[in-house]
C-alpha cells in the first residue's frame, strides 16, 4: 500500500501531490493493478489533511482512468503507468549514469548538473510544444 | 447531515462532495450554479463592516465560503480576523452590511454553530466530566457518547481537572465540547496558538477526522500560514480590516508562480501578467505573478509559489486583491 507524504510549503496543491505520488508509484511498479489505495479516512488520520483533498485526488486519478472506486470496498488501481518497457528504461538509465560520470569529470557538481538537466528538460519540452 | 464516508469509497459519494462528479474541480465557473451541492454558502457576507469607537475593524467585506469547506482566515494581528469570526457567529452585530450562515442571517440560523474563542475558555477548577455535564445541560443537540469516545481515544481521563491538563489536551477538550454540539459550522479563533508542533498536528488531525465523519464546515483563524496547508481548502486573507483574498487554496496555488529572470526583461513581463510582488537584485528579478503556466521566454525560470509566499506578497501589496468575480456572489 502506498504511504502518502505531504510537502507543506512546496507550492504544489495538496491533491496534486497525492496524484503525483500515485503516478510515480505506478511508474516505478510499487503500485500495481489491483492494489487498494488507502481510504480517505486513513490518509486523514496519518497526515492530518483535509478529507475533501484526498477525495479530489482520487477523483482526478479516476478521471485519468488509473483507479476505480468500488462502493463499500475501496479505491483500486486499474492500470499501471510507464509506457516504456523495462529493458528500454534500464538502457536509458545506464546511458544517463554514464553521461553523469562524464559530466562529473569536467568538474560539474551536483547543483550544476541539476541546473543543466532542468534547462535541457525545459528546452526539450518547449520544442515539443512548438 | 450525511457523513462523507459512511457509505464507502469516494466514487459512491459524489452527491455529498463539494465538487461535481468526475470533474475533480469546483464548479465555480458556472454562473447558474455558483454553489454546488445545493447548499447555501456556510458563510456569506455582503458589505460587512464593524466599527469600534470610530475606528473600522472591518470594512466593505463581501465574501462567500462554500459549505463543507475548511476555511483559513489569515492576516496580521489586528487585521480584523477576530471581528470577522465574531460577527459570523452572531456574537457581534455588524455596523454595516449583512452576514448569512447557510443562507440565513447570523444569529437566526437554525444551523448549529459552535464557536471556540481565543484562549480556549474552560474552567480550570472543573473536572473534564463536569465540563461535559455543563455542555449537555446547555445544548439540546449534545452528543455525549461521541464526546466520551473522543476523549477516551485521546487518553484524556474524565476525572482530571482542566487546570492540570497540557495545552494540547485543553485544546482537545475544548474542541471535543465544540464538536459535541454537532455544529454545521465550527468557528475556531486561533486554535493552534501556544501549542507545540506535535500538539498542533494532533489537534489538526482531530479536526480533520471530525470533518471526515460529519462533513461540517470550518472557519479557523491563524497567523501561521504554513501549518494550515493541506488541512484548509479555502483561504481568506484579511488585511487592515478588508478582505484581500478569498478563494480555493488549490486554485490559488495553481494560479500563481514565482518567476526569476533578467531584470531588464521584467517590465515586458509585467506588462503581460498581473504582478503581485517584484524584487530586483542587480541583474536578476524575482516576480510573483498570477499565471497558471510558465512564460514561453526561456530566460525566465519558473517555480510553484508556496502558499506562505502568496499570502505575504498580497499582504505587502494591500491595493491588490484576489477575489471571485462579483457575479459569483449571489445577490439576495
Amino acid at each position: 500500500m502506498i504511504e502518502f507524504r505531504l510537502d507543506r510549503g512546496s507550492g504544489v496543491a495538496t491533491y496534486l501531490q497525492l496524484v503525483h505520488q500515485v503516478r510515480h508509484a505506478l511508474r516505478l511498479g510499487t503500485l500495481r493493478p489491483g492494489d487498494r489505495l488507502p481510504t480517505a479516512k486513513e490518509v486523514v488520520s496519518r497526515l492530518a489533511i483535509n478529507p475533501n483533498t484526498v477525495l479530489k485526488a482520487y477523483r482526478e486519478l479516476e478521471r485519468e482512468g488509473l483507479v476505480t472506486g468500488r462502493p463499500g470496498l475501496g479505491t483500486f488501481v486499474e492500470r499501471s503507468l510507464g509506457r516504456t518497457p523495462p529493458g528500454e528504461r534500464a538502457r536509458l538509465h545506464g546511458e544517463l549514469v554514464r553521461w553523469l560520470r562524464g559530466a562529473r569529470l569536467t568538474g560539474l557538481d551536483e547543483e550544476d548538473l541539476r541546473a543543466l538537466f532542468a534547462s535541457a528538460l525545459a528546452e526539450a519540452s518547449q520544442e515539443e510544444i512548438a | 447531515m450525511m457523513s462523507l464516508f459512511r457509505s464507502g469509497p469516494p466514487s459512491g459519494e459524489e452527491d455529498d462532495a463539494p465538487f461535481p462528479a468526475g470533474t475533480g474541480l469546483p464548479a465555480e465557473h458556472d454562473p447558474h450554479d455558483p454553489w454546488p451541492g445545493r447548499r447555501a454558502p456556510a458563510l456569506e457576507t455582503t458589505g460587512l463592516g464593524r466599527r469600534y469607537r470610530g475606528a473600522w475593524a472591518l470594512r466593505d467585506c463581501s465574501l462567500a465560503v462554500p459549505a463543507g469547506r475548511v476555511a483559513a482566515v489569515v492576516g496580521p494581528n489586528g487585521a480584523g480576523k477576530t471581528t470577522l469570526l465574531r460577527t459570523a457567529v452572531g456574537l457581534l452585530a455588524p455596523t454595516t452590511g449583512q452576514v448569512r450562515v447557510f443562507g440565513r442571517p447570523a444569529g437566526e440560523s437554525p444551523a448549529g454553530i459552535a464557536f471556540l474563542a481565543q484562549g480556549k475558555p474552560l474552567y480550570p477548577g472543573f473536572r473534564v466530566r463536569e465540563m461535559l455535564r455543563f455542555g449537555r445541560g446547555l445544548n439540546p443537540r449534545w452528543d455525549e457518547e461521541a464526546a466520551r469516545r473522543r476523549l477516551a481515544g485521546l487518553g484524556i481521563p474524565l476525572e482530571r481537572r482542566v487546570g492540570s491538563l497540557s495545552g494540547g489536551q485543553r485544546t482537545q477538550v475544548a474542541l471535543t465540547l465544540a464538536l459535541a454540539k454537532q455544529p454545521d459550522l465550527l468557528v475556531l479563533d486561533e486554535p493552534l496558538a501556544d501549542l507545540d508542533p506535535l500538539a498542533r498536528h494532533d489537534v489538526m488531525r482531530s479536526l480533520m477526522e471530525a470533518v471526515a465523519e460529519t462533513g461540517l464546515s470550518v472557519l479557523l483563524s491563524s497567523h501561521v500560514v504554513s501549518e494550515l496547508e493541506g488541512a484548509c481548502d479555502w483561504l481568506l486573507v484579511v488585511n487592515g480590516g478588508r478582505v484581500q483574498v478569498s478563494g480555493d487554496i488549490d486554485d490559488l496555488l495553481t494560479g500563481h508562480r514565482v518567476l526569476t529572470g533578467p531584470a531588464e526583461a521584467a517590465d515586458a513581463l509585467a506588462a503581460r501578467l498581473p504582478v503581485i510582488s517584484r524584487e530586483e537584485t542587480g541583474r536578476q528579478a524575482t516576480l510573483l505573478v498570477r499565471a497558471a503556466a510558465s512564460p514561453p521566454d526561456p530566460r525566465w525560470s519558473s517555480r510553484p509559489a508556496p502558499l506562505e509566499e502568496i499570502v505575504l506578497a498580497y499582504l505587502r501589496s494591500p491595493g491588490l486583491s484576489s477575489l471571485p468575480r462579483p457575479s459569483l456572489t449571489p445577490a439576495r
Side-chain angles (χ1 to χ4, degrees):
Chain A
M1 168 126 42
I2 186 167
E3 287 239 325
F4 289 115
R5 292 165 280 107
L6 192 56
D7 188 359
R8 289 186 167 88
S10 67
V12 179
T14 307
Y15 86 98
L16 277 181
Q17 290 189 37
L18 303 184
V19 167
H20 291 163
Q21 284 167 36
V22 168
R23 284 204 206 120
H24 190 74
L26 290 173
R27 285 212 171 80
L28 293 178
T30 46
L31 265 185
R32 291 181 192 158
D35 286 355
R36 186 175 73 81
L37 295 183
T39 63
K41 197 155 189 194
E42 285 163 354
V43 182
V44 168
S45 299
R46 232 180 68 76
L47 296 178
I49 66 171
N50 192 305
N52 296 332
T53 301
V54 185
L55 298 183
K56 188 172 171 184
Y58 285 10
R59 271 197 297 277
E60 173 63 21
L61 290 163
E62 195 162 9
R63 197 184 60 76
E64 292 173 15
L66 296 174
V67 305
T68 359
R70 293 183 211 151
L73 295 172
T75 304
F76 293 86
V77 174
E78 193 63 23
R79 63 182 179 86
S80 61
L81 273 174
R83 289 143 286 182
T84 333
E88 194 70 357
R89 281 184 72 91
R91 186 184 61 76
L92 287 166
H93 182 93
E95 274 179 27
L96 199 54
V97 169
R98 264 193 304 284
W99 181 88
L100 284 168
R101 285 198 189 114
R104 284 269 199 204
L105 291 176
T106 70
L108 295 177
D109 67 13
E110 196 173 314
E111 216 167 303
D112 295 329
L113 287 169
R114 281 181 198 283
L116 198 60
F117 185 78
S119 86
L121 191 65
E123 192 184 318
S125 315
Q126 293 288 351
E127 281 165 12
E128 256 172 55
I129 295 165
Chain B
M1 191 182 299
M2 273 184 63
S3 158
L4 270 174
F5 297 108
R6 212 163 286 158
S7 59
S11 64
E13 326 231 325
E14 304 290 4
D15 282 347
D16 215 33
F19 315 115
T23 64
L25 288 168
E28 278 148 30
H29 304 294
D30 178 0
H32 303 294
D33 182 20
W35 307 113
R38 306 171 305 276
R39 288 158 81 194
L43 174 68
E44 187 180 15
T45 69
T46 35
L48 173 65
R50 170 71 203 198
R51 199 170 44 196
Y52 294 103
R53 295 181 210 95
W56 289 94
L58 204 61
R59 222 171 170 179
D60 294 333
C61 167
S62 295
L63 59 88
V65 179
R69 294 302 191 122
V70 180
V73 183
V74 304
N77 293 334
K81 300 193 294 285
T82 298
T83 304
L84 176 62
L85 298 187
R86 296 188 92 91
T87 49
V89 297
L91 283 173
L92 266 183
T95 310
T96 64
Q98 286 181 321
V99 184
R100 286 171 181 271
V101 174
F102 297 109
R104 302 282 292 269
E108 292 173 25
S109 175
I113 302 176
F115 179 56
L116 183 51
Q118 212 165 341
K120 302 123 208 169
L122 295 171
Y123 300 98
F126 274 45
R127 296 180 196 282
V128 175
R129 181 189 302 284
E130 292 164 333
M131 294 298 310
L132 284 179
R133 200 171 59 220
F134 231 58
R136 195 163 62 231
L138 291 171
N139 296 281
R141 283 168 69 162
W142 189 260
D143 187 346
E144 177 84 7
E145 205 195 308
R148 283 172 183 254
R149 211 180 322 120
R150 278 196 88 246
L151 292 170
L154 293 160
I156 298 174
L158 298 180
E159 296 310 322
R160 284 283 292 278
R161 286 189 196 278
V162 169
S164 71
L165 297 171
S166 72
Q169 286 176 320
R170 267 204 299 281
T171 305
Q172 291 283 18
V173 170
L175 183 59
T176 301
L177 297 176
L179 289 171
K181 295 175 186 169
Q182 304 195 65
D184 300 307
L185 174 65
L186 174 60
V187 180
L188 311 157
D189 195 0
E190 298 279 359
L192 303 174
D194 319 323
L195 297 186
D196 63 67
L198 192 64
R200 284 206 294 264
H201 184 85
D202 288 346
V203 168
M204 279 320 256
R205 183 173 58 198
S206 292
L207 185 60
M208 291 303 111
E209 284 171 348
V211 170
E213 278 159 24
T214 65
L216 87 165
S217 308
V218 180
L219 193 61
L220 73 96
S221 69
S222 177
H223 53 259
V224 188
V225 179
S226 53
E227 68 200 6
L228 305 173
E229 262 194 277
C232 299
D233 55 7
W234 194 271
L235 182 75
L236 295 169
V237 176
V238 183
N239 195 10
R242 288 172 196 268
V243 172
Q244 222 186 330
V245 175
S246 171
D248 180 276
I249 288 182
D250 288 343
D251 290 350
L252 287 166
L253 287 173
T254 46
H256 290 83
R257 293 197 75 79
V258 178
L259 306 177
T260 308
E264 81 251 15
D267 282 334
L269 190 79
R272 284 188 290 121
L273 292 172
V275 176
I276 312 304
S277 73
R278 177 172 170 170
E279 277 168 49
E280 283 180 28
T281 42
R283 284 184 286 274
Q284 184 172 283
T286 302
L287 290 83
L288 195 141
V289 298
R290 205 181 300 148
S294 313
D297 186 340
R299 288 178 298 170
W300 289 95
S301 75
S302 153
R303 64 175 169 85
L307 194 61
E308 195 156 14
E309 271 184 61
I310 298 176
V311 170
L312 286 174
Y314 276 100
L315 289 178
R316 287 193 183 118
S317 315
L320 296 174
S321 63
S322 175
L323 298 165
R325 286 164 294 154
S327 66
L328 289 178
T329 312
R332 273 171 232 256

